[in-house]
Amino acid sequence: MCGIAGWFSEKENLLEQTDTLRKMSETMSRRGPDEHGEYVDKHAAMLHRRLTVVDPETGRQPMISMNGEYSIVLVYNGEIYNTKELRRELRSNGFSFKGHSDTEVILKSYLMWGEKCVEKFNGIFAFAIYNEKERTIFAARDPIGVKPFFYTVYNGGFLFGSEIKALLANPKVKPEINDEGLMEIFFLGPGRTPGGGVFRNIFELKPGECGVYKDGAFRKRTYFRITAREHTHTRAQTIEYTRFLLTDAIERQLVSDVPLCTFLSGGLDSSIISSVSSAYFRKHGKTLDTYSVNYEDNKKFFQKSLFQPNSDEDFIGIISEHIASEHHSVILDNTELYSALFEAVSARDLPGMVDVDSSLLLFCREVKKDFTVALSGECADELFGGYPWYHNEEILYEECFPWSRSQAVRRSILKDGALPHGEDYVHQRYEETIAETDTLPSDTPHKKRMREMFMLNFRWFMQTLLDRKDRCSMYSGLEVRVPFCDYRIVQYAYNMPWELKSLNGREKGIVRTAFSDILPESITWRKKSPYPKTFNPIYWELCVKGAQKVISDKGSPLYDILDHNEVRKIIDDPEGISSPWYGQLMRAPQILAYIAQIDFWLKKYDVKIV
């Protein structure tokens, strides 16, 4: 995993832009703390910051191959999990290799198959290839969108980077937002429209997209899309194939030349990953290290709810003992949790999922002290129907994003007349996603709706979580891999009938059944519980102070946008929030924290509202 950035210019001589290139590269130093490299000629600059995971000696970047007198230059962020198969195929076609890095495999694949190379890769990646002879840049992002690729096109040039901050370090890009950007923040946030970067003129390759910049234009195409197909497997075959796909994905992602661990919450998804990983480690004479996160005094203040029926710590010991892992529990201080809200904005370049972000950032910082790579259980719920909105018929058929059903609280905190089209903007984004959903003529209304719900989750909720995971982990130079995001699993789950997906009447029933023999029964059939949140009143008090500071500061960019009385109502009556702002647990403390994050973001990035 790394940070990449680049600049192609028809007009500027980039050999004279050393200061700007240095600033762009430095923005990514946290993503790649081990090494940095650059390739610069008159028209193109390719920048790389490396987090060394595989092949330290011969995997350095930018990686260059000569095509006659001209250079082919690659910068790449990610991991390719079918490297061995591709290397074997490339060797059979006459290619040789200096090392065993996946970087070299990507470069040789491009030389072999051109732009179609992306269709050969199983992995998480974002990369760009500069062709000096053709004066083009070919860029691609992985099918699921695990790794980011932001870009902007201006008159005579093209800029790209792993993070928005890399683009903002170039004077060609201004930190500006318009009403559309404000609606992203206040009506969709912390979600984000696919392909958008909130800032004006900053965009992102969508999952499964690639493109070529040439002659002043960036022409994109979709090389991977989720398609509707008939599910032909029987119940037994579906169980077996689900187990095969996930086990294969996990084991492929255990390859590393540096220390690797897993995240273990005691829930189904992380327990499966940790169990398979532990068995793999034992075969190789090693013991797996596992990590969990919680908050000071959370046992004392824990509040049981429909969405969070029990605490993770009741189950972590059971599964850790069962798989014989060396377990580490990270306990977070609530004051630090609040302070890290603002570091999380710096990591993400945008307001985010507040304490869900800041806790992950602090957690990854601790894990990084001993490990460079971790495996995590993200995205099983989106793919296999783990969330309540898949199971509640009333919510299922509502024409809205189910994790943000009501815009009432979002509207309430804004002054009268502010962003009057916010609700319409959200509904338009919803309709666009529904229109992209691939179906079969034979689909029943229920099956069609389940496909639509899948796409809503895949395009939106899942991407928000992947954004969070990438930015908050890479902020500490920790690579986190997500086995459930294997494109084969995504495609298979999309076409799996609901009665199989929810086998035995349970959320993720097929996954539970497929791995029931390697997990304790209490883990296999544990009711889903979301990422842990703090219930400590210290955190609430800090969120209150943060929001009060914003609405009392006449110099705040939000002073003339927010309805101060409505913000005070949330402070005075936190239980009065009728529905979450986002997800299941983003309620009063998180709304106040989000307001503080927006204020910090506008100031830190010197955002101009245009």
Side-chain angles (χ1 to χ4, degrees), residues 542-572:
L542 290 168
C543 291
V544 168
K545 289 178 181 177
Q548 286 175 331
K549 182 179 178 182
V550 173
I551 60 175
S552 64
D553 177 12
K554 292 184 179 180
S556 168
L558 292 179
Y559 191 82
D560 293 324
I561 297 176
L562 297 177
D563 185 319
H564 301 183
N565 289 331
E566 290 297 328
V567 175
R568 291 190 188 99
K569 282 184 183 179
I570 296 173
I571 293 171
D572 295 338

PDB file of all heavy atoms in Angstrom, residues 542-572:
ATOM      1  N   LEU A 542     -17.902  16.551  25.752  1.00  0.00           N
ATOM      2  CA  LEU A 542     -16.950  17.164  24.830  1.00  0.00           C
ATOM      3  C   LEU A 542     -17.623  17.533  23.505  1.00  0.00           C
ATOM      4  O   LEU A 542     -17.335  18.589  22.923  1.00  0.00           O
ATOM      5  CB  LEU A 542     -15.778  16.216  24.579  1.00  0.00           C
ATOM      6  CG  LEU A 542     -14.829  16.016  25.768  1.00  0.00           C
ATOM      7  CD1 LEU A 542     -13.895  14.839  25.509  1.00  0.00           C
ATOM      8  CD2 LEU A 542     -14.026  17.286  26.027  1.00  0.00           C
ATOM      9  N   CYS A 543     -18.524  16.682  23.028  1.00  0.00           N
ATOM     10  CA  CYS A 543     -19.257  16.980  21.796  1.00  0.00           C
ATOM     11  C   CYS A 543     -20.141  18.211  21.979  1.00  0.00           C
ATOM     12  O   CYS A 543     -20.252  19.045  21.064  1.00  0.00           O
ATOM     13  CB  CYS A 543     -20.101  15.776  21.373  1.00  0.00           C
ATOM     14  SG  CYS A 543     -19.132  14.361  20.801  1.00  0.00           S
ATOM     15  N   VAL A 544     -20.774  18.317  23.145  1.00  0.00           N
ATOM     16  CA  VAL A 544     -21.608  19.485  23.442  1.00  0.00           C
ATOM     17  C   VAL A 544     -20.767  20.757  23.412  1.00  0.00           C
ATOM     18  O   VAL A 544     -21.133  21.760  22.771  1.00  0.00           O
ATOM     19  CB  VAL A 544     -22.305  19.332  24.811  1.00  0.00           C
ATOM     20  CG1 VAL A 544     -22.919  20.655  25.260  1.00  0.00           C
ATOM     21  CG2 VAL A 544     -23.363  18.241  24.751  1.00  0.00           C
ATOM     22  N   LYS A 545     -19.627  20.731  24.079  1.00  0.00           N
ATOM     23  CA  LYS A 545     -18.751  21.910  24.101  1.00  0.00           C
ATOM     24  C   LYS A 545     -18.278  22.279  22.693  1.00  0.00           C
ATOM     25  O   LYS A 545     -18.190  23.461  22.344  1.00  0.00           O
ATOM     26  CB  LYS A 545     -17.547  21.644  25.011  1.00  0.00           C
ATOM     27  CG  LYS A 545     -17.891  21.599  26.497  1.00  0.00           C
ATOM     28  CD  LYS A 545     -16.657  21.283  27.334  1.00  0.00           C
ATOM     29  CE  LYS A 545     -17.008  21.206  28.815  1.00  0.00           C
ATOM     30  NZ  LYS A 545     -15.818  20.829  29.641  1.00  0.00           N
ATOM     31  N   GLY A 546     -17.976  21.260  21.894  1.00  0.00           N
ATOM     32  CA  GLY A 546     -17.509  21.512  20.539  1.00  0.00           C
ATOM     33  C   GLY A 546     -18.564  22.196  19.694  1.00  0.00           C
ATOM     34  O   GLY A 546     -18.275  23.161  18.968  1.00  0.00           O
ATOM     35  N   ALA A 547     -19.809  21.722  19.777  1.00  0.00           N
ATOM     36  CA  ALA A 547     -20.890  22.334  19.002  1.00  0.00           C
ATOM     37  C   ALA A 547     -21.225  23.719  19.523  1.00  0.00           C
ATOM     38  O   ALA A 547     -21.498  24.645  18.741  1.00  0.00           O
ATOM     39  CB  ALA A 547     -22.121  21.429  19.038  1.00  0.00           C
ATOM     40  N   GLN A 548     -21.210  23.884  20.841  1.00  0.00           N
ATOM     41  CA  GLN A 548     -21.483  25.208  21.419  1.00  0.00           C
ATOM     42  C   GLN A 548     -20.443  26.228  20.961  1.00  0.00           C
ATOM     43  O   GLN A 548     -20.776  27.391  20.697  1.00  0.00           O
ATOM     44  CB  GLN A 548     -21.500  25.109  22.950  1.00  0.00           C
ATOM     45  CG  GLN A 548     -22.745  24.438  23.512  1.00  0.00           C
ATOM     46  CD  GLN A 548     -22.667  24.239  25.014  1.00  0.00           C
ATOM     47  OE1 GLN A 548     -21.575  24.086  25.573  1.00  0.00           O
ATOM     48  NE2 GLN A 548     -23.828  24.217  25.673  1.00  0.00           N
ATOM     49  N   LYS A 549     -19.213  25.790  20.867  1.00  0.00           N
ATOM     50  CA  LYS A 549     -18.142  26.679  20.415  1.00  0.00           C
ATOM     51  C   LYS A 549     -18.397  27.147  18.988  1.00  0.00           C
ATOM     52  O   LYS A 549     -18.176  28.319  18.653  1.00  0.00           O
ATOM     53  CB  LYS A 549     -16.799  25.952  20.508  1.00  0.00           C
ATOM     54  CG  LYS A 549     -15.605  26.802  20.112  1.00  0.00           C
ATOM     55  CD  LYS A 549     -14.303  26.017  20.257  1.00  0.00           C
ATOM     56  CE  LYS A 549     -13.111  26.855  19.814  1.00  0.00           C
ATOM     57  NZ  LYS A 549     -11.840  26.084  19.911  1.00  0.00           N
ATOM     58  N   VAL A 550     -18.899  26.262  18.153  1.00  0.00           N
ATOM     59  CA  VAL A 550     -19.158  26.613  16.761  1.00  0.00           C
ATOM     60  C   VAL A 550     -20.274  27.651  16.662  1.00  0.00           C
ATOM     61  O   VAL A 550     -20.140  28.676  15.980  1.00  0.00           O
ATOM     62  CB  VAL A 550     -19.528  25.367  15.931  1.00  0.00           C
ATOM     63  CG1 VAL A 550     -19.972  25.765  14.523  1.00  0.00           C
ATOM     64  CG2 VAL A 550     -18.342  24.408  15.849  1.00  0.00           C
ATOM     65  N   ILE A 551     -21.395  27.418  17.365  1.00  0.00           N
ATOM     66  CA  ILE A 551     -22.540  28.328  17.203  1.00  0.00           C
ATOM     67  C   ILE A 551     -22.359  29.639  17.964  1.00  0.00           C
ATOM     68  O   ILE A 551     -23.141  30.580  17.767  1.00  0.00           O
ATOM     69  CB  ILE A 551     -23.862  27.649  17.619  1.00  0.00           C
ATOM     70  CG1 ILE A 551     -23.824  27.206  19.086  1.00  0.00           C
ATOM     71  CG2 ILE A 551     -24.163  26.477  16.702  1.00  0.00           C
ATOM     72  CD1 ILE A 551     -25.146  26.627  19.580  1.00  0.00           C
ATOM     73  N   SER A 552     -21.339  29.725  18.819  1.00  0.00           N
ATOM     74  CA  SER A 552     -21.068  30.988  19.521  1.00  0.00           C
ATOM     75  C   SER A 552     -19.937  31.784  18.876  1.00  0.00           C
ATOM     76  O   SER A 552     -19.644  32.903  19.295  1.00  0.00           O
ATOM     77  CB  SER A 552     -20.725  30.712  20.988  1.00  0.00           C
ATOM     78  OG  SER A 552     -19.532  29.953  21.090  1.00  0.00           O
ATOM     79  N   ASP A 553     -19.325  31.197  17.840  1.00  0.00           N
ATOM     80  CA  ASP A 553     -18.188  31.835  17.170  1.00  0.00           C
ATOM     81  C   ASP A 553     -18.670  32.566  15.924  1.00  0.00           C
ATOM     82  O   ASP A 553     -18.958  31.951  14.896  1.00  0.00           O
ATOM     83  CB  ASP A 553     -17.153  30.763  16.807  1.00  0.00           C
ATOM     84  CG  ASP A 553     -15.963  31.330  16.038  1.00  0.00           C
ATOM     85  OD1 ASP A 553     -15.824  32.573  15.981  1.00  0.00           O
ATOM     86  OD2 ASP A 553     -15.181  30.517  15.502  1.00  0.00           O
ATOM     87  N   LYS A 554     -18.748  33.884  16.004  1.00  0.00           N
ATOM     88  CA  LYS A 554     -19.215  34.671  14.867  1.00  0.00           C
ATOM     89  C   LYS A 554     -18.259  34.609  13.680  1.00  0.00           C
ATOM     90  O   LYS A 554     -18.639  34.919  12.544  1.00  0.00           O
ATOM     91  CB  LYS A 554     -19.430  36.125  15.290  1.00  0.00           C
ATOM     92  CG  LYS A 554     -20.586  36.315  16.253  1.00  0.00           C
ATOM     93  CD  LYS A 554     -20.825  37.779  16.572  1.00  0.00           C
ATOM     94  CE  LYS A 554     -22.017  37.929  17.517  1.00  0.00           C
ATOM     95  NZ  LYS A 554     -22.287  39.356  17.849  1.00  0.00           N
ATOM     96  N   GLY A 555     -17.050  34.160  13.933  1.00  0.00           N
ATOM     97  CA  GLY A 555     -16.081  34.009  12.851  1.00  0.00           C
ATOM     98  C   GLY A 555     -16.144  32.650  12.182  1.00  0.00           C
ATOM     99  O   GLY A 555     -15.437  32.398  11.205  1.00  0.00           O
ATOM    100  N   SER A 556     -17.002  31.757  12.703  1.00  0.00           N
ATOM    101  CA  SER A 556     -17.106  30.425  12.118  1.00  0.00           C
ATOM    102  C   SER A 556     -17.778  30.489  10.753  1.00  0.00           C
ATOM    103  O   SER A 556     -18.779  31.202  10.573  1.00  0.00           O
ATOM    104  CB  SER A 556     -17.923  29.500  13.026  1.00  0.00           C
ATOM    105  OG  SER A 556     -18.269  28.302  12.346  1.00  0.00           O
ATOM    106  N   PRO A 557     -17.275  29.750   9.771  1.00  0.00           N
ATOM    107  CA  PRO A 557     -17.939  29.701   8.459  1.00  0.00           C
ATOM    108  C   PRO A 557     -19.367  29.159   8.550  1.00  0.00           C
ATOM    109  O   PRO A 557     -20.159  29.368   7.637  1.00  0.00           O
ATOM    110  CB  PRO A 557     -17.045  28.754   7.646  1.00  0.00           C
ATOM    111  CG  PRO A 557     -15.732  28.730   8.354  1.00  0.00           C
ATOM    112  CD  PRO A 557     -16.038  28.930   9.798  1.00  0.00           C
ATOM    113  N   LEU A 558     -19.680  28.473   9.644  1.00  0.00           N
ATOM    114  CA  LEU A 558     -21.015  27.900   9.812  1.00  0.00           C
ATOM    115  C   LEU A 558     -21.982  28.830  10.541  1.00  0.00           C
ATOM    116  O   LEU A 558     -23.167  28.517  10.666  1.00  0.00           O
ATOM    117  CB  LEU A 558     -20.927  26.576  10.595  1.00  0.00           C
ATOM    118  CG  LEU A 558     -20.245  25.400   9.896  1.00  0.00           C
ATOM    119  CD1 LEU A 558     -20.230  24.181  10.809  1.00  0.00           C
ATOM    120  CD2 LEU A 558     -20.952  25.066   8.587  1.00  0.00           C
ATOM    121  N   TYR A 559     -21.483  29.948  11.025  1.00  0.00           N
ATOM    122  CA  TYR A 559     -22.306  30.812  11.888  1.00  0.00           C
ATOM    123  C   TYR A 559     -23.598  31.242  11.199  1.00  0.00           C
ATOM    124  O   TYR A 559     -24.668  31.258  11.817  1.00  0.00           O
ATOM    125  CB  TYR A 559     -21.511  32.046  12.325  1.00  0.00           C
ATOM    126  CG  TYR A 559     -22.191  32.827  13.422  1.00  0.00           C
ATOM    127  CD1 TYR A 559     -22.077  32.429  14.754  1.00  0.00           C
ATOM    128  CD2 TYR A 559     -22.953  33.963  13.122  1.00  0.00           C
ATOM    129  CE1 TYR A 559     -22.702  33.134  15.769  1.00  0.00           C
ATOM    130  CE2 TYR A 559     -23.583  34.683  14.130  1.00  0.00           C
ATOM    131  CZ  TYR A 559     -23.454  34.261  15.449  1.00  0.00           C
ATOM    132  OH  TYR A 559     -24.088  34.956  16.456  1.00  0.00           O
ATOM    133  N   ASP A 560     -23.521  31.566   9.917  1.00  0.00           N
ATOM    134  CA  ASP A 560     -24.697  32.040   9.192  1.00  0.00           C
ATOM    135  C   ASP A 560     -25.412  30.929   8.425  1.00  0.00           C
ATOM    136  O   ASP A 560     -26.351  31.198   7.657  1.00  0.00           O
ATOM    137  CB  ASP A 560     -24.306  33.158   8.218  1.00  0.00           C
ATOM    138  CG  ASP A 560     -23.853  34.422   8.948  1.00  0.00           C
ATOM    139  OD1 ASP A 560     -24.421  34.713  10.015  1.00  0.00           O
ATOM    140  OD2 ASP A 560     -22.917  35.085   8.449  1.00  0.00           O
ATOM    141  N   ILE A 561     -24.986  29.689   8.618  1.00  0.00           N
ATOM    142  CA  ILE A 561     -25.616  28.546   7.941  1.00  0.00           C
ATOM    143  C   ILE A 561     -26.494  27.755   8.896  1.00  0.00           C
ATOM    144  O   ILE A 561     -27.586  27.313   8.541  1.00  0.00           O
ATOM    145  CB  ILE A 561     -24.536  27.624   7.318  1.00  0.00           C
ATOM    146  CG1 ILE A 561     -23.752  28.371   6.237  1.00  0.00           C
ATOM    147  CG2 ILE A 561     -25.165  26.355   6.739  1.00  0.00           C
ATOM    148  CD1 ILE A 561     -22.600  27.577   5.644  1.00  0.00           C
ATOM    149  N   LEU A 562     -26.027  27.597  10.146  1.00  0.00           N
ATOM    150  CA  LEU A 562     -26.732  26.770  11.120  1.00  0.00           C
ATOM    151  C   LEU A 562     -27.855  27.538  11.822  1.00  0.00           C
ATOM    152  O   LEU A 562     -27.757  28.742  12.064  1.00  0.00           O
ATOM    153  CB  LEU A 562     -25.758  26.247  12.170  1.00  0.00           C
ATOM    154  CG  LEU A 562     -24.643  25.313  11.682  1.00  0.00           C
ATOM    155  CD1 LEU A 562     -23.723  24.957  12.842  1.00  0.00           C
ATOM    156  CD2 LEU A 562     -25.230  24.050  11.050  1.00  0.00           C
ATOM    157  N   ASP A 563     -28.910  26.800  12.177  1.00  0.00           N
ATOM    158  CA  ASP A 563     -29.963  27.317  13.049  1.00  0.00           C
ATOM    159  C   ASP A 563     -29.517  27.029  14.483  1.00  0.00           C
ATOM    160  O   ASP A 563     -29.596  25.896  14.953  1.00  0.00           O
ATOM    161  CB  ASP A 563     -31.291  26.619  12.741  1.00  0.00           C
ATOM    162  CG  ASP A 563     -32.455  27.202  13.527  1.00  0.00           C
ATOM    163  OD1 ASP A 563     -32.265  27.494  14.731  1.00  0.00           O
ATOM    164  OD2 ASP A 563     -33.556  27.348  12.952  1.00  0.00           O
ATOM    165  N   HIS A 564     -29.057  28.052  15.177  1.00  0.00           N
ATOM    166  CA  HIS A 564     -28.453  27.863  16.493  1.00  0.00           C
ATOM    167  C   HIS A 564     -29.443  27.292  17.504  1.00  0.00           C
ATOM    168  O   HIS A 564     -29.074  26.473  18.355  1.00  0.00           O
ATOM    169  CB  HIS A 564     -27.892  29.195  17.004  1.00  0.00           C
ATOM    170  CG  HIS A 564     -26.857  29.787  16.101  1.00  0.00           C
ATOM    171  ND1 HIS A 564     -26.183  30.946  16.397  1.00  0.00           N
ATOM    172  CD2 HIS A 564     -26.352  29.379  14.895  1.00  0.00           C
ATOM    173  CE1 HIS A 564     -25.320  31.235  15.422  1.00  0.00           C
ATOM    174  NE2 HIS A 564     -25.433  30.298  14.507  1.00  0.00           N
ATOM    175  N   ASN A 565     -30.691  27.691  17.418  1.00  0.00           N
ATOM    176  CA  ASN A 565     -31.699  27.190  18.356  1.00  0.00           C
ATOM    177  C   ASN A 565     -31.926  25.693  18.178  1.00  0.00           C
ATOM    178  O   ASN A 565     -32.108  24.971  19.172  1.00  0.00           O
ATOM    179  CB  ASN A 565     -33.017  27.944  18.172  1.00  0.00           C
ATOM    180  CG  ASN A 565     -32.935  29.376  18.680  1.00  0.00           C
ATOM    181  OD1 ASN A 565     -32.180  29.681  19.611  1.00  0.00           O
ATOM    182  ND2 ASN A 565     -33.700  30.267  18.074  1.00  0.00           N
ATOM    183  N   GLU A 566     -31.906  25.236  16.932  1.00  0.00           N
ATOM    184  CA  GLU A 566     -32.120  23.802  16.686  1.00  0.00           C
ATOM    185  C   GLU A 566     -30.924  22.982  17.169  1.00  0.00           C
ATOM    186  O   GLU A 566     -31.085  21.864  17.660  1.00  0.00           O
ATOM    187  CB  GLU A 566     -32.376  23.559  15.194  1.00  0.00           C
ATOM    188  CG  GLU A 566     -33.710  24.070  14.702  1.00  0.00           C
ATOM    189  CD  GLU A 566     -34.900  23.379  15.368  1.00  0.00           C
ATOM    190  OE1 GLU A 566     -34.781  22.182  15.714  1.00  0.00           O
ATOM    191  OE2 GLU A 566     -35.949  24.035  15.533  1.00  0.00           O
ATOM    192  N   VAL A 567     -29.720  23.536  17.030  1.00  0.00           N
ATOM    193  CA  VAL A 567     -28.541  22.841  17.565  1.00  0.00           C
ATOM    194  C   VAL A 567     -28.650  22.754  19.084  1.00  0.00           C
ATOM    195  O   VAL A 567     -28.351  21.716  19.693  1.00  0.00           O
ATOM    196  CB  VAL A 567     -27.239  23.551  17.139  1.00  0.00           C
ATOM    197  CG1 VAL A 567     -26.027  22.892  17.808  1.00  0.00           C
ATOM    198  CG2 VAL A 567     -27.082  23.533  15.621  1.00  0.00           C
ATOM    199  N   ARG A 568     -29.116  23.829  19.717  1.00  0.00           N
ATOM    200  CA  ARG A 568     -29.289  23.816  21.183  1.00  0.00           C
ATOM    201  C   ARG A 568     -30.355  22.804  21.598  1.00  0.00           C
ATOM    202  O   ARG A 568     -30.248  22.202  22.671  1.00  0.00           O
ATOM    203  CB  ARG A 568     -29.649  25.214  21.669  1.00  0.00           C
ATOM    204  CG  ARG A 568     -28.509  26.218  21.555  1.00  0.00           C
ATOM    205  CD  ARG A 568     -28.831  27.522  22.262  1.00  0.00           C
ATOM    206  NE  ARG A 568     -27.814  28.536  21.985  1.00  0.00           N
ATOM    207  CZ  ARG A 568     -27.934  29.491  21.073  1.00  0.00           C
ATOM    208  NH1 ARG A 568     -29.062  29.587  20.357  1.00  0.00           N
ATOM    209  NH2 ARG A 568     -26.955  30.361  20.870  1.00  0.00           N
ATOM    210  N   LYS A 569     -31.377  22.603  20.767  1.00  0.00           N
ATOM    211  CA  LYS A 569     -32.412  21.607  21.088  1.00  0.00           C
ATOM    212  C   LYS A 569     -31.812  20.206  21.153  1.00  0.00           C
ATOM    213  O   LYS A 569     -32.189  19.394  21.996  1.00  0.00           O
ATOM    214  CB  LYS A 569     -33.516  21.648  20.031  1.00  0.00           C
ATOM    215  CG  LYS A 569     -34.502  22.789  20.190  1.00  0.00           C
ATOM    216  CD  LYS A 569     -35.612  22.674  19.137  1.00  0.00           C
ATOM    217  CE  LYS A 569     -36.575  23.844  19.232  1.00  0.00           C
ATOM    218  NZ  LYS A 569     -37.638  23.757  18.191  1.00  0.00           N
ATOM    219  N   ILE A 570     -30.884  19.931  20.251  1.00  0.00           N
ATOM    220  CA  ILE A 570     -30.210  18.618  20.279  1.00  0.00           C
ATOM    221  C   ILE A 570     -29.409  18.484  21.564  1.00  0.00           C
ATOM    222  O   ILE A 570     -29.399  17.418  22.204  1.00  0.00           O
ATOM    223  CB  ILE A 570     -29.303  18.447  19.042  1.00  0.00           C
ATOM    224  CG1 ILE A 570     -30.150  18.429  17.769  1.00  0.00           C
ATOM    225  CG2 ILE A 570     -28.470  17.168  19.153  1.00  0.00           C
ATOM    226  CD1 ILE A 570     -29.332  18.424  16.479  1.00  0.00           C
ATOM    227  N   ILE A 571     -28.749  19.564  21.963  1.00  0.00           N
ATOM    228  CA  ILE A 571     -27.961  19.550  23.200  1.00  0.00           C
ATOM    229  C   ILE A 571     -28.866  19.347  24.414  1.00  0.00           C
ATOM    230  O   ILE A 571     -28.562  18.549  25.307  1.00  0.00           O
ATOM    231  CB  ILE A 571     -27.171  20.867  23.334  1.00  0.00           C
ATOM    232  CG1 ILE A 571     -26.097  20.961  22.229  1.00  0.00           C
ATOM    233  CG2 ILE A 571     -26.521  20.975  24.717  1.00  0.00           C
ATOM    234  CD1 ILE A 571     -25.419  22.308  22.141  1.00  0.00           C
ATOM    235  N   ASP A 572     -30.010  20.039  24.437  1.00  0.00           N
ATOM    236  CA  ASP A 572     -30.912  19.974  25.586  1.00  0.00           C
ATOM    237  C   ASP A 572     -31.726  18.687  25.626  1.00  0.00           C
ATOM    238  O   ASP A 572     -32.098  18.219  26.712  1.00  0.00           O
ATOM    239  CB  ASP A 572     -31.871  21.176  25.571  1.00  0.00           C
ATOM    240  CG  ASP A 572     -31.139  22.507  25.759  1.00  0.00           C
ATOM    241  OD1 ASP A 572     -30.016  22.477  26.310  1.00  0.00           O
ATOM    242  OD2 ASP A 572     -31.676  23.540  25.340  1.00  0.00           O
TER     243      ASP A 572
END
